[in-house]
Amino acid sequence: MTALPWRVPEVRLDLSGLGFDRGAHLLLRRALDQAAPDRQVAVSGTHPALLYQLTVWCRREGHTVLPAPPEQAPLCAHVTRGALTTIRWEGADRAGSAEPGGAVDHAPLHWGLAARGALVEAGGPEVYFAVADRDTAWADLAPRLYRQATAAQWDPGTAVPWDASFCLPDEIERAVVQVMTFLVENEQAALVVPGRLLAQVHPHFREVLQLLAVQAADEARHVEVFTRRALLKGGEMGTSSVGGRVSLATLLSEPDFSIASFLLSVLGEGSFLNLLAFLERYAPDPVTRRITHLVRQDEARHVAFGMGHLEHRSTVDPRLRGRLRAAVERRHETLAHTAGLNADVFDALVLLAAGSWEPEAIERGWHAVQRLRADMDEGRRHRLSRLGFTDDEAADLSELHTRNFM
């Protein structure tokens, strides 16, 4: 007795009255995906145009359709899975892992805006990003800093006591306004720089993008509260010096991701941490005290990311410190003939620390500003030492930092 050949049973799919113009393709695709490669899907249904719609869809998708005889109705056809769906994903690659530690060393340009961890179909446009290497953008603390940043966002309308009752002498109020004007100018530069850096980074390193986006949002909020405090008592904004604007312009012209982060976050915003602590200590009113406290918390995260990134980069790029040194020296040469810190800002800081026009108070205020500068220098040296510079190198580079603080 001859054995009959074994036949794989077919998969049955009843579409009832559902047509391909109403989503029947979803059910058929699911049935084909679940079926073994050598099994047919027997499609039945009562939609009047089912066979026509089924044939068109299968032709487009690369599947084979064998119509059923009319007497087998409501059976419509047998569908055999084609090879096109498999061929389509040949050459596809997985874009790393979606987990925070899943970024690859180099993100290919054809990944473009694909989600990290996605299966990326071969082909498609190449989207250029200047920063496509992990070591050029990454900081291991970026995911944690991003979570902290989103949790620490504050609302300028409710976090600051704008309605607090206080009345300052006119000269003290003008000093506050002048310092606020200076802060707005610097924070606008700190807003533009992360925006420019953000556009350079491949989206594969999404935590860095997210952190830079929150950093830009922080700076926009800082501009708002400093402007609002300056105008709180009905006065006009203070002065803006050429030297100050030239100093900030050098930050905008730096194209390199790591060097721009170094100049802005490690040196500039690092120095501003001391300035904001100074202003919180000598603030003559509760509004100024509150906003400088809140802004300082934000700026500390910005400095932490800049340091984390550069500490990581310095471990994989032995030439980095030389490039950082050259950037500081280049910026110093550019600013050598400028006036440095706006004299109106310096005088305003002295007056705020003094609290009055008494000669002894003015002297105390002047010494307080000198201590501020010394504290800034000490902070810069400490951060430079963490990046691997010797004590002498750190001292020399800190001395070359712009007199405009940022």
Side-chain angles (χ1 to χ4, degrees):
M1 179 176 180
T2 304
L4 295 175
W6 179 73
R7 183 176 180 182
V8 179
E10 61 189 9
V11 176
R12 297 185 178 277
L13 174 64
D14 184 4
L15 295 175
S16 188
L18 184 65
F20 278 72
D21 55 343
R22 294 292 186 270
H25 68 284
L26 295 174
L27 297 177
L28 178 54
R29 181 178 291 138
R30 178 171 177 264
L32 289 168
D33 289 341
Q34 293 176 346
D38 56 350
R39 296 180 70 179
Q40 292 181 328
V41 175
V43 181
S44 60
T46 58
H47 191 283
L50 181 57
L51 179 59
Y52 169 75
Q53 293 177 347
L54 174 65
T55 302
V56 170
W57 186 83
C58 287
R59 183 183 300 118
R60 185 175 67 242
E61 297 293 316
H63 306 306
T64 301
V65 177
L66 179 62
E71 61 270 16
Q72 294 184 8
L75 180 63
C76 177
H78 291 86
V79 178
T80 303
R81 183 188 184 96
L84 287 182
T85 54
T86 303
I87 294 174
R88 176 183 176 185
W89 295 103
E90 288 183 358
D93 52 347
R94 185 70 64 179
S97 168
E99 298 301 321
V104 300
D105 291 338
H106 175 77
L109 299 185
H110 76 270
W111 284 1
L113 299 174
R116 195 168 74 217
L119 183 62
V120 183
E121 184 180 2
E126 291 192 349
V127 183
Y128 176 75
F129 293 97
V131 180
D133 292 322
R134 185 179 188 273
D135 289 335
T136 307
W138 194 251
D140 289 335
L141 46 64
R144 175 169 56 84
L145 281 179
Y146 172 66
R147 292 193 298 272
Q148 292 177 355
T150 55
Q153 294 299 291
W154 46 275
D155 180 358
T158 58
V160 180
W162 300 108
D163 296 332
S165 177
F166 67 90
C167 183
L168 303 178
D170 290 345
E171 294 92 344
I172 300 295
E173 177 64 23
R174 282 198 293 270
V176 172
V177 170
Q178 179 58 64
V179 172
M180 293 297 118
T181 304
F182 171 75
L183 292 174
V184 168
E185 190 171 88
N186 284 266
E187 294 291 66
Q188 288 180 157
L191 168 60
V192 172
V193 171
R196 291 164 62 97
L197 296 180
L198 193 154
Q200 295 183 25
V201 180
H202 197 296
H204 181 75
F205 309 107
R206 65 167 188 269
E207 292 87 354
V208 175
L209 284 184
Q210 291 166 328
L211 193 56
L212 288 172
V214 175
Q215 182 172 331
D218 288 343
E219 305 296 3
R221 187 170 58 244
H222 300 169
V223 170
E224 175 187 346
V225 296
F226 289 144
T227 301
R228 190 168 174 178
R229 172 60 189 92
L231 303 179
L232 187 61
K233 296 299 181 178
E236 294 182 333
M237 301 293 283
T239 62
S240 170
S241 68
V242 170
R245 297 198 308 279
V246 172
S247 177
L248 295 176
T250 60
L251 294 176
L252 307 186
S253 61
E254 178 53 62
D256 183 86
F257 182 89
S258 295
I259 294 177
S261 298
F262 172 68
L263 295 177
L264 174 67
S265 298
V266 176
L267 296 181
E269 291 179 312
S271 297
F272 257 55
L273 290 179
N274 299 105
L275 176 59
L276 292 166
F278 174 95
L279 293 173
E280 183 180 1
R281 177 181 179 183
Y282 293 108
D285 63 87
V287 174
T288 301
R289 186 175 304 110
R290 180 60 175 165
I291 61 177
T292 51
H293 174 77
L294 291 169
V295 169
R296 187 169 184 269
Q297 291 179 326
D298 292 341
E299 296 293 350
R301 287 195 308 273
H302 305 171
V303 175
F305 172 65
M307 287 297 300
H309 162 64
L310 290 164
E311 285 177 315
H312 172 82
R313 184 83 190 270
S314 64
T315 63
V316 296
D317 183 359
R319 299 174 298 175
L320 178 64
R321 280 189 289 275
R323 293 168 54 218
L324 298 179
R325 181 187 304 107
V328 173
E329 293 171 346
R330 184 169 61 247
R331 190 180 186 208
H332 175 75
E333 291 175 3
T334 300
L335 301 176
H337 301 293
T338 62
L341 182 66
N342 184 348
D344 293 338
V345 175
F346 177 85
D347 293 347
L349 293 173
V350 171
L351 182 55
L352 290 180
S356 78
W357 287 101
E358 294 297 323
E360 295 82 1
I362 293 297
E363 183 176 11
R364 287 196 305 271
W366 187 88
H367 283 296
V369 175
Q370 301 313 307
R371 285 196 301 273
L372 168 63
R373 285 179 156 166
D375 290 342
M376 289 179 171
D377 176 63
E378 182 181 353
R380 288 193 297 268
R381 292 189 191 197
H382 174 69
R383 289 186 293 276
L384 288 165
S385 295
R386 282 179 54 187
L387 295 180
F389 291 99
T390 66
D391 290 345
D392 289 342
E393 289 175 325
D396 291 341
L397 292 177
S398 179
E399 181 68 24
L400 295 178
H401 182 62
T402 172
R403 293 164 290 171
N404 193 54
F405 298 163
M406 179 65 81

